[in-house]
Amino acid sequence: MNIYLQTLTRDLHSAIHNLSSVLNPLLFFIISISLFPLAISPEASMLSQIAAGVIWVASMLAVLLSLNTLFHNDFDNGVLEQMVISHHSLPLLILSKIVAHWLLTGVPIILLSPLLGVLLFLDNESIKILMLTLLLATPSLSLIGAIGASLIVSIKNSGMLLSLLILPLYIPILIFASSAVSQAQSGLEIDAQLYFLATILVVSLMLVPLVSALSLKISLE
Amino acid sequence: MLKINNLSCQKGYNLLFSHLSFEVSSGDILHITGTNGSGKTSLLKILAGLNVQEQGTIFLKDYSVKSEDYQRAIFYLGHLPALSAELSCLENLRFLTTLNQSVKQPLLIDALKQVGLEDYEDEVCAKLSAGQKRRVTLAGLILSKAKIWLLDEPFTALDPQGVEMVEQYITQHCEQGGMCLFTTHQSSALKNQQVLAL
């Protein structure tokens, strides 16, 4: 099997054997959103107004929670060293790991979002738009998060530092994604927001593996 | 031939070694010795391409340390086992070897047998002892087609039979035209080894 595909399946297998690391961020995602109707108001009009923002903030934080596992284990056990010195392309090996991370966090979030959208009284059309923004932007969350994860991989207990590094970079995604859903609720055009999210995704896809490879090499020195 | 010329390494404020020059030819076994903190691991990491030297050059024939041909020619065994605790011996070995070259499943199982891990193929690495983990990585070494072996404390956690087995593999590899650079604080019974003191 191709090494890049094997890196991806290896990360998926590791996650299956260590389910709690995958489930914790998803449980956080579900629980935090389901508490909003209890804390604010069970009124449909109120909840549907804040639904997009709430779901987007929760998914961003859930991805942030899961980022620590992206490189830490492989750094601690020495697999990352072997990846760096292998003759294969390190940026592509990293991209395989990021794809595995997205499959384990981004995809479940996208699949859970309609359920949580219904809980917050989002109409069907808005749920579709919400899923589209999540589909376009959760890969960007994994990609951008990988830069932070690779920078702090050699630092123990670096959760807070990771948030400080990454959250500012997530803000444009949050603004455009949640405004796309709320504008769709008001019947306005959302092309601009979707194009912007797609641009972030393409630029991240091109740059992140290279930047991440470079920062991993520096971390390993 | 591996040519190291005028190599220096600095860690923080400490100069670990400077103006280090030596050559390793096919069939050579080089035992790198030195006190703790003298730069043995750093030297092997520099040769593996993990650390960047302060100054100096490293060439294998005409290939520099960053070239793909150089990277194909080395196998680095560090302090860390390079195994995922959640995965089985076989899964770990398959990934470790594929990073160098593809190896078919029967050969992987055979390599595990050779290092004394018969019937441990499906055992997750978290349940193995330190010595058994070392043996899984050594199975990767056996399967490697790399010409230069860079082994950092290869005898750590191994029993006397294990040490003897590794010494046999090193001798065999170098007799077939390979090179081996290794560090150890244990006494080594390897014949024809040259010593580089840092």
Side-chain angles (χ1 to χ4, degrees), chain B residues 121-159:
Chain B
E121 294 94 351
D122 298 321
E123 190 69 77
V124 287
C125 281
K127 291 186 179 163
L128 300 183
S129 72
Q132 286 174 317
K133 282 181 192 163
R134 200 65 172 168
R135 281 169 185 263
V136 177
T137 319
L138 289 169
L141 181 70
I142 297 170
L143 291 167
S144 157
K145 291 195 175 86
K147 191 172 165 117
I148 308 172
W149 288 3
L150 305 169
L151 313 179
D152 197 0
E153 300 284 353
F155 309 130
T156 305
L158 291 178
D159 53 27

Side-chain angles (χ1 to χ4, degrees), chain B residues 102-114:
Chain B
S102 282
V103 175
K104 295 222 160 67
Q105 177 118 333
L107 289 174
L108 297 175
I109 294 171
D110 194 47
L112 285 173
K113 266 185 204 164
Q114 283 186 52

Side-chain angles (χ1 to χ4, degrees), chain B residues 4-25:
Chain B
I4 286 94
N5 193 25
N6 204 21
L7 204 64
S8 298
C9 174
Q10 186 165 355
K11 276 276 165 82
Y13 294 113
N14 296 322
L15 185 67
L16 297 182
F17 51 80
S18 62
H19 308 298
L20 189 67
S21 298
F22 61 93
E23 291 179 2
V24 188
S25 308

Side-chain angles (χ1 to χ4, degrees), chain B residues 2-191:
Chain B
L2 182 67
K3 276 189 183 176
I4 286 94
N5 193 25
N6 204 21
L7 204 64
S8 298
C9 174
Q10 186 165 355
K11 276 276 165 82
Y13 294 113
N14 296 322
L15 185 67
L16 297 182
F17 51 80
S18 62
H19 308 298
L20 189 67
S21 298
F22 61 93
E23 291 179 2
V24 188
S25 308
S26 292
D28 284 353
I29 301 173
L30 186 68
H31 180 179
I32 301 163
T33 60
T35 51
N36 294 135
S38 58
K40 300 183 294 300
T41 297
S42 297
L43 174 60
L44 285 185
K45 281 191 168 183
I46 288 171
L47 293 178
L50 276 170
N51 281 9
V52 179
Q53 69 269 29
E54 200 64 29
Q55 64 176 62
T57 54
I58 302 161
F59 279 101
L60 175 69
K61 292 179 196 161
D62 292 328
Y63 311 131
S64 76
V65 75
K66 293 286 172 200
S67 70
E68 194 186 318
D69 288 301
Y70 182 93
Q71 286 174 321
R72 274 180 193 277
I74 57 157
F75 184 96
Y76 171 72
L77 176 75
H79 285 290
L80 299 166
L83 307 170
S84 294
E86 307 88 21
L87 298 179
S88 71
C89 294
L90 195 61
E91 285 170 319
N92 270 306
L93 184 59
R94 186 182 298 122
F95 184 73
L96 200 59
T97 49
T98 316
L99 278 172
N100 295 305
Q101 82 279 324
S102 282
V103 175
K104 295 222 160 67
Q105 177 118 333
L107 289 174
L108 297 175
I109 294 171
D110 194 47
L112 285 173
K113 266 185 204 164
Q114 283 186 52
V115 294
L117 290 176
E118 197 175 358
D119 302 327
Y120 279 88
E121 294 94 351
D122 298 321
E123 190 69 77
V124 287
C125 281
K127 291 186 179 163
L128 300 183
S129 72
Q132 286 174 317
K133 282 181 192 163
R134 200 65 172 168
R135 281 169 185 263
V136 177
T137 319
L138 289 169
L141 181 70
I142 297 170
L143 291 167
S144 157
K145 291 195 175 86
K147 191 172 165 117
I148 308 172
W149 288 3
L150 305 169
L151 313 179
D152 197 0
E153 300 284 353
F155 309 130
T156 305
L158 291 178
D159 53 27
Q161 290 84 5
V163 173
E164 202 178 311
M165 178 187 73
V166 177
E167 286 176 341
Q168 258 177 23
Y169 286 128
I170 293 175
T171 311
Q172 214 175 345
H173 174 68
C174 293
E175 277 170 3
Q176 289 165 356
M179 310 172 200
C180 179
L181 291 85
F182 74 100
T183 69
T184 183
H185 288 292
Q186 297 178 28
S187 60
S188 153
L190 280 165
K191 286 174 191 158

